[in-house]
Amino acid sequence: MRNVTILLFVIMPISCAVSLPAKKWLAIDTFEQAPLQGWYQEDPQNHTQPFVPHPQITQLVRQDNNQVLLKKPAKDGVVGNRKALTFKALPQAVKVGETATFYTRIQVEAFPNNHAFGLANLTPEEIIKQGYDAFEATLRITDKSESDGYKNDGTLMVKVDSDNKYRQYAKVINPHTGDVAAPLTVGIWYEIWYVVNNAPAAQGGQVYDVFIKGGEFPQQTQVYHHADFRMKRARPLMYFLANCNTGPADKPYGNGGLFYDDIFMSDGINLTTP
């Protein structure tokens, strides 16, 4: 993880009351229509035994008089689905050189799990082929153990550049305490804003800032500054992408799900609520 002292210097709580220019939110999906429309659902690394065709669970469910999306790598008891890819085209691409803000609400259905969501700048065929390397800006939620034995705890994580192949993500920070944020609480909705800078890396882009409201953050708070795009291709961002997996069949992570709702995007920096 990056030096915490530096993070404390650049991260400041931001209230929803901050006066911002009015910007238009564009809906990626609010999940109010059935069936799902415009979403690709692919399982390109399906090692389930006995074999289960299309094992991922990606379905609309009712919750508190609202319709939301539940995503799981497979039903409980099924292991071996290593890439449950679900993705949808953005209403408009984020061109190279542009900044845009993305908003979504998430709720952890259950741990143990291993989920990631964010943005891709590849074609559908390339996303299916690349899997995790299709991501640029990425948010991660997991309590899985890494290959070197390190145990994650379910804290929201962001992508960071690192020479350590087992430390490719960093936990978000609570700027009020200077400590890493608490693990996400099962059954609580969190609002997440991530502001992506799609300028070339040489111009200070291929980075994103993350804000959250929910749980230990009763007000909208910036919890990470300048996380890193995964691949830094500097291509137009075109898809919202979610991925999860059960882990290898001999050491499964678990099939805990993640609920999604109200996925939006906006030009520029927009810290209002859609």
Side-chain angles (χ1 to χ4, degrees):
M1 181 180 292
R2 293 175 175 177
N3 187 287
V4 172
T5 302
I6 295 175
L7 287 172
L8 290 175
F9 178 77
V10 299
I11 293 177
M12 296 294 291
I14 293 185
S15 167
C16 292
V18 171
S19 178
L20 295 169
K23 294 181 182 292
K24 181 180 180 181
W25 286 104
L26 301 176
I28 300 170
D29 211 320
T30 60
F31 304 109
E32 293 304 319
Q33 293 181 326
L36 280 173
Q37 298 180 5
W39 288 89
Y40 294 80
Q41 299 181 47
E42 301 288 342
D43 300 286
Q45 198 173 342
N46 181 359
H47 297 164
T48 56
Q49 296 180 1
F51 184 75
V52 178
H54 311 297
Q56 71 171 273
I57 306 297
T58 303
Q59 62 187 29
L60 297 171
V61 298
R62 298 298 302 180
Q63 186 191 83
D64 300 328
N65 297 316
N66 184 33
Q67 190 161 263
V68 300
L69 182 73
L70 172 62
K71 180 169 173 61
K72 303 173 67 167
K75 68 180 182 180
D76 294 341
V78 174
V79 299
N81 190 19
R82 303 305 308 280
K83 291 184 178 69
L85 304 172
T86 307
F87 53 98
K88 184 178 183 180
L90 303 178
Q92 67 181 33
V94 181
K95 298 176 183 178
V96 176
E98 293 182 340
T99 294
T101 303
F102 290 80
Y103 169 94
T104 191
R105 298 196 311 128
I106 60 166
Q107 181 188 105
V108 176
E109 180 218 28
F111 289 109
N113 68 29
N114 185 23
H115 288 266
F117 66 94
L119 305 171
N121 52 13
L122 302 177
T123 66
E125 294 76 17
E126 291 171 325
I127 291 172
I128 295 167
K129 181 179 179 180
Q130 294 295 327
Y132 281 100
D133 283 346
F135 278 115
E136 292 292 0
T138 316
L139 286 301
R140 186 193 195 198
I141 301 160
T142 187
D143 59 341
K144 71 180 282 288
S145 294
E146 304 294 353
S147 298
D148 65 346
Y150 176 79
K151 181 70 164 61
N152 294 293
D153 62 4
T155 297
L156 183 69
M157 305 174 83
V158 298
K159 182 71 180 68
V160 295
D161 291 339
S162 173
D163 293 331
N164 185 336
K165 66 178 181 179
Y166 301 114
R167 299 291 182 271
Q168 295 296 311
Y169 296 90
K171 297 177 181 179
V172 299
I173 301 296
N174 184 331
H176 304 293
T177 65
D179 297 324
V180 298
L184 298 181
T185 301
V186 172
I188 290 181
W189 281 102
Y190 293 84
E191 297 176 86
I192 298 176
W193 295 256
Y194 44 115
V195 180
V196 302
N197 180 346
N198 200 30
Q203 298 176 18
Q206 306 299 287
V207 294
Y208 59 107
D209 297 338
V210 180
F211 302 76
I212 191 170
K213 180 180 179 182
E216 68 187 290
F217 302 106
Q219 302 296 325
Q220 182 192 71
T221 304
Q222 185 174 358
V223 292
Y224 212 89
H225 176 70
H226 279 192
D228 298 303
F229 279 24
R230 185 181 182 99
M231 306 304 292
K232 301 180 180 63
R233 297 181 185 92
R235 293 171 56 174
L237 299 166
M238 300 183 295
Y239 285 87
F240 176 89
L241 169 63
N243 192 5
C244 58
N245 73 70
T246 65
D250 57 342
K251 293 183 180 179
Y253 306 143
N255 290 357
L258 189 66
F259 293 109
Y260 291 90
D261 196 15
D262 298 332
I263 307 176
F264 286 83
M265 67 174 293
S266 174
D267 292 333
I269 300 174
N270 187 353
L271 300 181
T272 64
T273 301

Coordinates of all heavy atoms in Angstrom, one line a residue, residues 99-138:
T99 N -12.4 13.6 -18.6 CA -12.7 13.2 -17.2 C -14.2 12.9 -17.1 O -15.0 13.7 -17.6 CB -12.3 14.3 -16.2 OG1 -10.9 14.4 -16.2 CG2 -12.7 13.9 -14.8
A100 N -14.5 11.9 -16.4 CA -15.9 11.6 -16.1 C -16.1 11.0 -14.7 O -15.2 10.5 -14.1 CB -16.4 10.5 -17.2
T101 N -17.3 11.1 -14.2 CA -17.7 10.5 -12.9 C -18.7 9.4 -13.1 O -19.6 9.5 -13.8 CB -18.3 11.6 -12.0 OG1 -17.4 12.7 -11.9 CG2 -18.6 11.1 -10.6
F102 N -18.4 8.3 -12.3 CA -19.3 7.2 -12.3 C -19.8 7.0 -10.9 O -19.1 7.2 -9.9 CB -18.6 5.9 -12.8 CG -18.3 5.9 -14.3 CD1 -17.2 6.7 -14.7 CD2 -19.1 5.3 -15.2 CE1 -16.9 6.7 -16.1 CE2 -18.8 5.4 -16.6 CZ -17.7 6.1 -17.0
Y103 N -21.1 6.6 -10.9 CA -21.8 6.4 -9.6 C -22.5 5.0 -9.6 O -23.1 4.6 -10.6 CB -22.8 7.5 -9.4 CG -23.8 7.3 -8.3 CD1 -23.6 7.9 -7.0 CD2 -25.0 6.6 -8.5 CE1 -24.5 7.7 -6.0 CE2 -25.9 6.4 -7.4 CZ -25.6 7.0 -6.2 OH -26.5 6.8 -5.2
T104 N -22.4 4.3 -8.5 CA -23.3 3.1 -8.4 C -23.5 2.9 -6.9 O -22.7 3.3 -6.0 CB -22.6 1.9 -9.0 OG1 -23.6 0.9 -9.1 CG2 -21.4 1.4 -8.3
R105 N -24.6 2.2 -6.6 CA -24.9 1.7 -5.3 C -24.6 0.2 -5.2 O -24.9 -0.6 -6.2 CB -26.3 1.9 -4.9 CG -26.7 3.4 -4.9 CD -28.0 3.7 -4.1 NE -29.1 2.8 -4.5 CZ -29.8 2.1 -3.7 NH1 -29.6 2.1 -2.4 NH2 -30.8 1.3 -4.1
I106 N -23.9 -0.3 -4.2 CA -23.6 -1.7 -4.0 C -24.0 -2.1 -2.6 O -24.0 -1.3 -1.7 CB -22.1 -2.0 -4.3 CG1 -21.2 -1.2 -3.3 CG2 -21.7 -1.7 -5.7 CD1 -19.8 -1.7 -3.3
Q107 N -24.3 -3.4 -2.5 CA -24.5 -4.0 -1.2 C -24.0 -5.5 -1.2 O -24.3 -6.2 -2.2 CB -26.0 -4.1 -0.9 CG -26.3 -4.7 0.5 CD -27.8 -4.9 0.7 OE1 -28.3 -6.0 0.6 NE2 -28.6 -3.8 0.9
V108 N -23.2 -5.8 -0.2 CA -22.7 -7.2 -0.1 C -23.8 -8.1 0.3 O -24.4 -7.9 1.4 CB -21.5 -7.2 0.8 CG1 -21.0 -8.7 1.0 CG2 -20.3 -6.4 0.3
E109 N -24.1 -9.1 -0.5 CA -25.0 -10.1 -0.1 C -24.5 -11.0 1.0 O -25.1 -11.3 2.0 CB -25.5 -10.9 -1.3 CG -26.5 -12.0 -0.9 CD -26.3 -13.3 -1.7 OE1 -25.2 -13.6 -2.1 OE2 -27.3 -14.0 -1.9
A110 N -23.2 -11.5 0.8 CA -22.6 -12.4 1.7 C -21.1 -12.5 1.5 O -20.6 -12.3 0.3 CB -23.2 -13.8 1.6
F111 N -20.4 -12.8 2.5 CA -19.0 -13.2 2.4 C -19.0 -14.7 2.7 O -19.9 -15.2 3.3 CB -18.1 -12.5 3.4 CG -17.8 -11.1 3.1 CD1 -18.4 -10.1 3.9 CD2 -17.0 -10.7 2.1 CE1 -18.2 -8.7 3.6 CE2 -16.7 -9.4 1.8 CZ -17.3 -8.4 2.6
P112 N -18.0 -15.5 2.2 CA -16.8 -15.1 1.4 C -17.2 -14.8 0.0 O -18.1 -15.4 -0.6 CB -15.9 -16.3 1.5 CG -16.8 -17.5 1.7 CD -18.0 -17.0 2.5
N113 N -16.4 -14.0 -0.6 CA -16.7 -13.6 -2.0 C -15.4 -13.0 -2.7 O -14.4 -12.8 -2.0 CB -17.8 -12.6 -2.1 CG -17.5 -11.2 -1.6 OD1 -16.3 -10.8 -1.6 ND2 -18.5 -10.5 -1.1
N114 N -15.5 -12.8 -4.0 CA -14.4 -12.1 -4.7 C -15.0 -11.4 -5.9 O -15.3 -12.0 -6.9 CB -13.4 -13.2 -5.2 CG -12.2 -12.5 -5.8 OD1 -11.9 -11.3 -5.6 ND2 -11.5 -13.2 -6.6
H115 N -15.2 -10.1 -5.8 CA -15.9 -9.3 -6.8 C -15.0 -8.1 -7.2 O -14.2 -7.6 -6.4 CB -17.2 -8.7 -6.3 CG -18.3 -9.7 -6.1 ND1 -19.2 -10.0 -7.1 CD2 -18.6 -10.6 -5.1 CE1 -20.0 -10.9 -6.7 NE2 -19.7 -11.3 -5.5
A116 N -15.1 -7.7 -8.5 CA -14.5 -6.5 -9.0 C -15.4 -5.9 -10.0 O -16.2 -6.5 -10.7 CB -13.2 -6.8 -9.6
F117 N -15.5 -4.5 -10.0 CA -16.3 -3.8 -11.0 C -15.5 -2.5 -11.4 O -14.7 -2.0 -10.6 CB -17.7 -3.6 -10.5 CG -17.8 -2.6 -9.3 CD1 -18.0 -1.3 -9.5 CD2 -17.7 -3.1 -8.0 CE1 -18.1 -0.4 -8.5 CE2 -17.8 -2.2 -7.0 CZ -18.0 -0.9 -7.2
G118 N -15.9 -2.0 -12.6 CA -15.2 -0.8 -13.0 C -15.5 -0.6 -14.5 O -16.5 -0.9 -15.0
L119 N -14.4 -0.2 -15.2 CA -14.5 0.3 -16.6 C -13.6 -0.5 -17.5 O -12.5 -0.8 -17.1 CB -14.3 1.8 -16.7 CG -15.2 2.6 -15.8 CD1 -14.7 4.1 -15.8 CD2 -16.7 2.5 -16.2
A120 N -14.0 -0.7 -18.8 CA -13.2 -1.3 -19.8 C -13.1 -0.5 -21.0 O -14.1 0.2 -21.4 CB -13.7 -2.7 -20.1
N121 N -12.0 -0.6 -21.8 CA -11.9 0.2 -23.0 C -11.6 -0.8 -24.2 O -10.8 -0.4 -25.1 CB -10.8 1.2 -22.9 CG -9.5 0.7 -22.4 OD1 -9.2 -0.5 -22.3 ND2 -8.6 1.6 -22.0
L122 N -12.2 -2.0 -24.1 CA -12.0 -3.0 -25.1 C -13.3 -3.3 -25.8 O -14.4 -3.0 -25.3 CB -11.4 -4.3 -24.5 CG -10.0 -4.1 -23.8 CD1 -9.6 -5.4 -23.2 CD2 -9.0 -3.6 -24.8
T123 N -13.3 -4.1 -26.9 CA -14.5 -4.6 -27.5 C -15.0 -5.7 -26.7 O -14.3 -6.3 -25.9 CB -14.2 -5.0 -28.9 OG1 -13.3 -6.2 -28.9 CG2 -13.6 -3.9 -29.8
P124 N -16.3 -6.1 -26.9 CA -16.8 -7.3 -26.2 C -15.9 -8.6 -26.3 O -15.6 -9.3 -25.4 CB -18.2 -7.5 -26.7 CG -18.6 -6.1 -27.1 CD -17.4 -5.5 -27.6
E125 N -15.4 -8.8 -27.6 CA -14.6 -10.0 -27.8 C -13.3 -9.9 -27.0 O -12.8 -10.9 -26.5 CB -14.3 -10.1 -29.3 CG -15.5 -10.4 -30.2 CD -16.4 -9.2 -30.4 OE1 -16.0 -8.0 -30.2 OE2 -17.6 -9.4 -30.8
E126 N -12.7 -8.7 -27.0 CA -11.5 -8.5 -26.2 C -11.7 -8.6 -24.7 O -10.9 -9.1 -24.0 CB -10.9 -7.1 -26.6 CG -10.4 -7.0 -28.0 CD -10.0 -5.6 -28.3 OE1 -10.7 -4.6 -27.9 OE2 -9.0 -5.4 -29.1
I127 N -12.8 -8.1 -24.2 CA -13.1 -8.2 -22.8 C -13.2 -9.7 -22.4 O -12.6 -10.1 -21.4 CB -14.5 -7.5 -22.5 CG1 -14.3 -6.0 -22.6 CG2 -14.9 -7.9 -21.0 CD1 -15.6 -5.2 -22.4
I128 N -13.9 -10.5 -23.2 CA -14.0 -11.9 -22.9 C -12.7 -12.6 -22.9 O -12.4 -13.5 -22.1 CB -15.0 -12.6 -23.9 CG1 -16.4 -12.0 -23.8 CG2 -15.0 -14.1 -23.8 CD1 -17.3 -12.4 -24.9
K129 N -11.8 -12.2 -23.8 CA -10.5 -12.8 -23.9 C -9.6 -12.3 -22.8 O -8.8 -13.1 -22.2 CB -9.8 -12.4 -25.3 CG -8.4 -13.0 -25.5 CD -7.9 -12.6 -26.8 CE -6.5 -13.2 -27.1 NZ -5.9 -12.8 -28.4
Q130 N -9.6 -11.1 -22.4 CA -8.7 -10.5 -21.4 C -9.1 -10.7 -20.0 O -8.3 -10.7 -19.1 CB -8.5 -9.0 -21.7 CG -7.8 -8.7 -23.0 CD -6.4 -9.2 -23.1 OE1 -5.7 -9.2 -22.1 NE2 -6.0 -9.6 -24.3
G131 N -10.4 -10.9 -19.7 CA -10.8 -11.1 -18.3 C -10.5 -9.9 -17.4 O -10.8 -8.8 -17.7
Y132 N -9.7 -10.2 -16.4 CA -9.4 -9.1 -15.4 C -8.6 -8.0 -16.1 O -8.6 -6.9 -15.7 CB -8.6 -9.7 -14.2 CG -9.5 -10.3 -13.2 CD1 -9.7 -11.7 -13.2 CD2 -10.2 -9.6 -12.3 CE1 -10.5 -12.3 -12.2 CE2 -11.0 -10.2 -11.4 CZ -11.2 -11.5 -11.3 OH -12.0 -12.1 -10.4
D133 N -7.8 -8.4 -17.1 CA -6.9 -7.4 -17.8 C -7.8 -6.5 -18.7 O -7.2 -5.6 -19.4 CB -5.8 -8.0 -18.6 CG -4.7 -8.5 -17.6 OD1 -4.7 -8.0 -16.5 OD2 -3.8 -9.3 -18.1
A134 N -9.1 -6.7 -18.8 CA -10.0 -5.8 -19.5 C -10.2 -4.6 -18.7 O -10.6 -3.5 -19.2 CB -11.3 -6.5 -19.9
F135 N -10.0 -4.6 -17.4 CA -10.3 -3.5 -16.5 C -9.3 -2.4 -16.7 O -8.1 -2.6 -16.9 CB -10.3 -3.9 -15.0 CG -11.5 -4.6 -14.5 CD1 -11.5 -5.9 -14.1 CD2 -12.7 -3.9 -14.4 CE1 -12.6 -6.6 -13.6 CE2 -13.8 -4.5 -13.9 CZ -13.8 -5.8 -13.5
E136 N -9.8 -1.2 -16.5 CA -8.9 0.0 -16.2 C -9.2 0.5 -14.8 O -8.7 -0.1 -13.9 CB -9.2 1.1 -17.3 CG -8.7 0.7 -18.7 CD -7.2 0.6 -18.8 OE1 -6.5 0.8 -17.9 OE2 -6.7 0.3 -20.0
A137 N -10.1 1.5 -14.6 CA -10.5 1.8 -13.2 C -11.2 0.7 -12.6 O -12.1 0.1 -13.2 CB -11.3 3.1 -13.2
T138 N -10.8 0.2 -11.4 CA -11.3 -1.0 -10.8 C -11.6 -0.8 -9.3 O -10.7 -0.3 -8.6 CB -10.3 -2.1 -11.0 OG1 -9.8 -2.1 -12.3 CG2 -11.0 -3.5 -10.7

